[in-house]
Amino acid sequence: MDECVFCKIARGDIPAEFVHKDEAVFVIRDLNPQAPTHLLIVPVRHVESAADVNDPEIWSSIMGRAVETARRLGLDKEGFRMVINTGAQGGQTVPHIHLHLMSGRNFGWPPG
Ligand code: 5GP
Ligand code: ZN
């Protein structure tokens, strides 16, 4: 946890561009955006992946905040993509659960 990049951002040990922060969840701009708008919705509490979530409050905080943020920024007008990469084959690179909220271009299906 001490070495976790998102825990460090939550503590203010490394900088990030915050769009929202409260005691349960924060929203930052992705360092390496894959769309014109690419945000990360991150619970403050360290949970490694979606497969490790036991408290449903985690789901309500990140899903609720993602949709609230999408509406607040007007991303709902054209649409958006929400993704939670989970584990090695799921493409997860940071082992602290986070939801990608992306918007501003067309997203293909099936995903790569
Ligand atoms: P994952 O691959 O785990 O689904 O997503 C991790 C995301 O975190 C990637 O999109 C990556 O660009 C982003 N990321 C990694 N390190 C940092 C950082 O220090 N700051 C920010 N803002 N994003 C980061
Ligand atoms: Zn963490």
Side-chain angles (χ1 to χ4, degrees):
M1 255 188 259
D2 286 353
E3 291 308 311
C4 168
V5 65
F6 291 161
C7 285
K8 285 182 177 171
I9 288 172
R11 289 196 301 265
D13 291 350
I14 58 174
E17 192 178 335
F18 281 85
V19 171
H20 172 87
K21 184 166 180 17
D22 63 40
E23 63 286 342
V25 65
F26 59 92
V27 181
I28 56 174
R29 294 199 184 274
D30 198 292
L31 201 58
N32 182 25
Q34 303 300 314
T37 301
H38 186 169
L39 304 172
L40 301 172
I41 321 301
V42 188
V44 172
R45 200 197 316 170
H46 182 93
V47 175
E48 193 161 315
S49 85
D52 301 302
V53 173
N54 293 314
D55 181 356
E57 187 58 35
I58 294 275
W59 292 124
S60 64
S61 66
I62 63 175
M63 290 302 295
R65 185 54 56 189
V67 172
E68 184 279 332
T69 302
R71 287 190 194 132
R72 182 161 54 87
L73 300 183
L75 310 182
D76 54 325
K77 292 186 180 69
E78 299 294 333
F80 53 88
R81 176 70 61 90
M82 296 191 289
V83 174
I84 302 178
N85 297 323
T86 304
Q89 279 200 341
Q92 184 175 4
T93 59
V94 175
H96 178 138
I97 185 176
H98 51 282
L99 182 152
H100 296 261
L101 171 60
M102 293 172 287
S103 171
R105 66 171 172 86
N106 289 309
F107 296 97
W109 193 265

